Amino acid sequence: MIARSQLAEIGTFNKPHGIKGEISTSFDPEVIDLVDDFGHVFVELDGLMVPFTILSSRPKGSETLLLTLKGITDEKKASALTGLPVYIEESMLPEDLQDGDDGFYIEDLIGFTLADSDTVVGVISGYDDSTDNVLFEVTAPDGAALLVPASPDLIEDVDIDGKTVTMSLPQGLLDL
């Protein structure tokens, strides 16, 4: 069994394509050309990382492939994977794409204090990556739930030791 900590998220299953189990899958542009070399991907099902052998792939766009996976033989089975993240062993990625000790994932920021310049906005309690615009879910000091764009353009600093994310938020954003 492989641990989640040994895996890197490389894409997301979109939706079934046709009735024979083929599934549209979006990939990180840095790895899309490597997918056929991986030979398999992992998906988290019922808390376990389950491997699926890639039987075939074909391009559907610049960041999307249509995958045929062993054991996924019809539209119903493919639709059960819709929206799930796709993983690969981090060790299979080229060295420049591996996280190493100096990298981190957005989920690593949960529990960090979010500040706008010198003002504390709240504590990052989660994130929403269901769209292309990832949002921090923030619990304000008064207990209010806020959604803040997690755009790299707005992030000024991430202090790992101080567990603080400092952002430059557009004026009035928190008033919405």
Side-chain angles (χ1 to χ4, degrees), residues 1-12:
M1 184 183 320
I2 191 161
R4 165 67 183 90
S5 61
Q6 296 173 293
L7 301 174
E9 185 175 335
I10 60 168
T12 305

Side-chain angles (χ1 to χ4, degrees), residues 97-159:
L97 296 180
Q98 293 183 18
D99 238 358
D101 292 336
D102 59 350
F104 55 89
Y105 294 99
I106 192 167
E107 58 258 29
D108 296 331
L109 300 178
I110 295 173
F112 277 48
T113 299
L114 180 69
D116 179 20
S117 300
D118 293 332
T119 306
V120 172
V121 175
V123 175
I124 299 171
S125 55
Y127 63 95
D128 179 349
D129 63 353
S130 61
T131 67
D132 287 339
N133 299 315
V134 177
L135 300 168
F136 287 125
E137 296 170 348
V138 178
T139 303
D142 66 1
L146 304 170
L147 293 174
V148 177
S151 170
D153 295 339
L154 299 176
I155 297 174
E156 291 181 348
D157 184 53
V158 177
D159 180 358

Side-chain angles (χ1 to χ4, degrees), residues 22-43:
E22 195 171 40
I23 186 164
S24 170
T25 311
S26 296
F27 286 98
D28 184 315
E30 295 177 317
V31 301
I32 194 164
D33 293 333
L34 305 173
V35 172
D36 285 333
D37 296 335
F38 296 151
H40 65 277
V41 293
F42 286 87
V43 180

Side-chain angles (χ1 to χ4, degrees), residues 42-131:
F42 286 87
V43 180
E44 187 172 1
L45 300 174
D46 298 325
L48 298 174
M49 300 310 295
V50 178
F52 284 92
T53 300
I54 299 171
L55 298 177
S56 69
S57 72
R58 57 189 178 111
K60 184 180 179 199
S62 63
E63 295 179 13
T64 305
L65 295 175
L66 298 174
L67 295 183
T68 302
L69 303 173
K70 186 173 183 177
I72 305 300
T73 55
D74 58 41
E75 183 179 9
K76 184 177 179 182
K77 289 179 182 177
S79 66
L81 300 176
T82 298
L84 295 178
V86 177
Y87 300 92
I88 193 68
E89 295 100 322
E90 188 166 354
S91 62
M92 292 185 72
L93 294 173
E95 197 168 308
D96 62 327
L97 296 180
Q98 293 183 18
D99 238 358
D101 292 336
D102 59 350
F104 55 89
Y105 294 99
I106 192 167
E107 58 258 29
D108 296 331
L109 300 178
I110 295 173
F112 277 48
T113 299
L114 180 69
D116 179 20
S117 300
D118 293 332
T119 306
V120 172
V121 175
V123 175
I124 299 171
S125 55
Y127 63 95
D128 179 349
D129 63 353
S130 61
T131 67

